[in-house]
């Protein structure tokens, strides 16, 4: 596979296992590999090979957990009477785990850790920081302290979302960090406001934080008291004159991949009763393996776009026919192969489609047709 993708900049992947006929007494006979082999392992191997040849936006990581991991010390709400706990320790498998328990008792509500030591990081000339994380669906913060002694109480802070149980690449541009004392923004935000400057040439400290508050006393929209865990593989500076980058791996997947899980939880909503969901266990758990293939693409580190076709059909179609994009894997409908191809090519050439998963279908009458690009721009990124 590595030789096959050598010199290739981007891939549109439309692969899928094909049964040779209806299920028989011995199960399904597959033409060239079953869903696990084709829709998961094949997609994973292709994405892994392309990622190995793809130039990264990042430079060498400044924080890893392979060998000489930096020491992190806890700074929790005990400083104000709270009882929350936290730590960040190496997992033994090349990652660090920021975990603990956040309690609202005694007016508490935050757990954090910060790097210890006297190293000064010069990150001038970079656009921001990239983190590879696996979270729990909560929203965390990254806080940075500089060597400017006139700003000793100030931390430059930004927040980021996580997807429960899934590795994601998080990009945090320096120009989005806000100067804060605790969760209060100082003098507004941005460099140079009232002389407050984020000097990325002299960074002393990095901190990870889970707080009940976002900024200025507003609630964190993805916070809940109790246990938490954020796994970090690395943190690295990146340079990206234009961000997000164009997708380099565009995957044609299928609507319905999330629905077997909903059925298992007892949901009998109409959209969960469609034939492909009912037949999936009989035809090699095809939706399970398509979802696993999606996850392999997300975890590859490549800029990607995942298009879930809704009811992919053969048949004539009018070029440029209306297509609607939605998210959440709830809709039913159909999509011609011609329209599917047009969506895939459009995604390959749109920065607004990067790091997004969505369903595509030919909409019912009354849909106000709009361009693919405008629809891409309204979709939520997978890590949002």
């Amino acid at each position: 596979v590595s030789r096959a993708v050598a010199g290739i900049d981007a891939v549109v992947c439309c692969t899928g296992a094909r049964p040779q006929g209806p299920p028989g007494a011995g199960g399904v006979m597959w033409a060239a590999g079953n869903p696990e082999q084709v829709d998961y392992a094949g997609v994973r191997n292709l994405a892994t090979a392309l990622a190995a040849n793809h130039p990264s936006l990042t430079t060498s990581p400044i924080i890893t957990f392979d060998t000489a991991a930096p020491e992190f010390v806890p700074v929790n709400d005990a400083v104000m009477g709270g009882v929350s706990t936290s730590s960040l320790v190496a997992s033994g498998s090349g990652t660090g785990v920021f975990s603990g328990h956040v309690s609202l008792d005694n007016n508490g509500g935050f757990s954090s850790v910060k790097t210890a030591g006297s190293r000064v990081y010069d990150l001038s000339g970079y656009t921001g920081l990239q983190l590879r994380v696996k979270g729990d669906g909560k929203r965390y913060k990254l806080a940075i302290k500089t060597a400017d002694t006139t700003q000793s109480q100030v931390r430059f802070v930004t927040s980021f979302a996580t997807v429960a149980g899934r590795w994601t690449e998080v990009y945090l541009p320096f120009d989005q960090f806000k100067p804060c004392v605790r969760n209060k923004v100082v003098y507004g935000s941005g460099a140079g406001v009232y002389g407050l400057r984020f000097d990325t040439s002299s960074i002393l400290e990095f901190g990870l934080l889970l707080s009940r508050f976002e900024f200025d006393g507003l609630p964190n929209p993805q916070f809940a008291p109790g246990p938490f865990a954020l796994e970090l593989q690395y943190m690295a500076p990146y340079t990206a004159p234009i961000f997000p980058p164009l997708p380099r791996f565009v995957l044609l997947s299928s609507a319905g991949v999330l629905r077997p899980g909903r059925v298992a939880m007892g949901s009998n909503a109409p959209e969960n009763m469609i034939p492909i969901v009912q037949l999936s266990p009989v035809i090699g758990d095809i939706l399970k393996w398509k979802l696993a293939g999606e996850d392999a693409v997300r975890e590859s580190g490549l800029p990607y776009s995942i298009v879930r076709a809704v009811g992919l059909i053969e048949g004539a179609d009018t070029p440029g026919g209306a297509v609607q994009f939605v998210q959440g894997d709830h809709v039913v409908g159909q999509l011609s192969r011609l329209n599917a191809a047009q969506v895939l090519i459009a995604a390959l050439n749109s920065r607004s489609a990067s790091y997004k998963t969505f369903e595509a279908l030919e909409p019912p009458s009354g849909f106000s047709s709009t361009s693919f690009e405008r629809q891409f721009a309204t979709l939520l990124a997978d890590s949002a």
Side-chain angles (χ1 to χ4, degrees):
V1 178
S2 296
R3 289 194 298 271
V5 299
I8 292 177
D9 183 55
V11 166
V12 176
C13 181
C14 304
T15 189
R18 292 184 66 87
Q20 289 183 320
V28 177
M29 297 295 292
W30 299 96
N34 61 33
E36 181 180 3
Q37 296 166 328
V38 176
D39 294 277
Y40 166 55
V43 170
R44 178 200 62 198
N45 293 344
L46 181 58
T48 300
L50 186 65
N53 293 332
H54 182 71
S56 174
L57 293 173
T58 61
T59 58
S60 299
I62 54 175
I63 292 180
T64 65
F65 298 89
D66 293 327
T67 53
E71 179 187 359
F72 285 81
V73 295
V75 182
N76 301 313
D77 56 19
V79 297
M80 48 194 291
V83 295
S84 299
T85 61
S86 71
S87 64
L88 196 157
V89 297
S91 66
S93 57
T95 63
V97 181
F98 171 43
S99 63
H101 188 282
V102 177
S103 171
L104 302 183
D105 292 348
N106 300 339
N107 295 314
F110 76 87
S111 294
S112 72
V113 293
K114 65 177 183 178
T115 52
S118 57
R119 177 179 174 181
V120 177
Y121 298 85
D122 181 359
L123 303 184
S124 58
Y126 293 102
T127 304
L129 291 168
Q130 179 203 21
L131 283 64
R132 181 166 170 79
V133 298
K134 182 166 69 173
D136 49 11
K138 295 182 173 65
R139 190 173 187 85
Y140 292 83
K141 294 179 180 179
L142 179 68
I144 295 175
K145 179 182 179 180
T146 71
D148 188 343
T149 57
T150 65
Q151 302 174 176
S152 61
Q153 299 301 312
V154 174
R155 302 294 184 273
F156 293 86
V157 184
T158 193
S159 61
F160 60 93
T162 64
V163 180
R166 180 179 298 164
W167 284 103
T168 55
E169 312 284 336
V170 178
Y171 291 88
L172 305 176
F174 286 135
D175 62 9
Q176 292 184 9
F177 282 70
K178 304 176 186 292
C180 297
V181 174
R182 300 183 178 89
N183 71 75
K184 302 295 185 181
V185 179
V186 183
Y187 310 129
S189 62
V193 179
Y194 292 98
L196 199 61
R197 188 171 72 91
F198 186 9
D199 183 4
T200 57
S201 70
S202 59
I203 293 175
L204 286 180
E205 177 185 294
F206 297 99
L208 287 169
L209 172 71
L210 176 62
S211 171
R212 65 188 295 187
F213 297 113
E214 183 76 349
F215 295 102
D216 289 333
L218 296 175
N220 178 344
Q222 280 90 45
F223 172 83
F228 67 90
L230 176 71
E231 192 169 2
L232 173 66
Q233 183 176 348
Y234 63 77
M235 182 168 67
Y238 74 90
T239 301
I242 301 177
F243 186 82
L246 288 169
R248 298 298 83 195
F249 199 108
V250 178
L251 175 68
L252 179 64
S253 185
S254 172
V257 293
L258 300 179
R259 301 181 205 187
R262 296 171 186 160
V263 172
M265 296 295 291
S267 172
N268 59 357
E271 69 266 19
N272 296 335
M273 299 295 111
I274 59 176
I276 184 61
V277 177
Q278 301 300 304
L279 289 172
S280 183
V282 181
I283 52 175
D285 277 325
I286 192 166
L287 293 179
K288 166 187 171 181
W289 295 115
K290 282 189 175 293
L291 180 60
E294 289 185 7
D295 287 340
V297 171
R298 295 186 189 99
E299 295 172 8
S300 69
L302 290 166
Y304 66 85
S305 183
I306 297 174
V307 181
R308 293 172 174 165
V310 179
L312 195 63
I313 58 170
E314 301 281 3
D317 184 39
T318 303
V323 179
Q324 182 180 10
F325 303 156
V326 295
Q327 292 179 294
D329 197 16
H330 291 286
V331 295
V332 295
Q334 65 182 35
L335 181 72
S336 74
R337 279 166 166 74
L338 178 56
N339 270 339
Q342 291 172 336
V343 173
L344 294 170
I345 296 303
L348 185 67
N349 292 286
S350 173
R351 299 181 190 279
S352 299
S354 278
Y355 304 107
K356 294 179 180 180
T357 300
F358 58 95
E359 292 79 59
L361 73 158
E362 288 151 14
S365 59
F367 173 71
S368 180
S369 181
T370 186
S371 71
F372 289 168
E373 183 61 26
R374 292 184 68 179
Q375 291 193 75
F376 288 145
T378 64
L379 297 171
L380 295 176
D382 285 348
S383 59

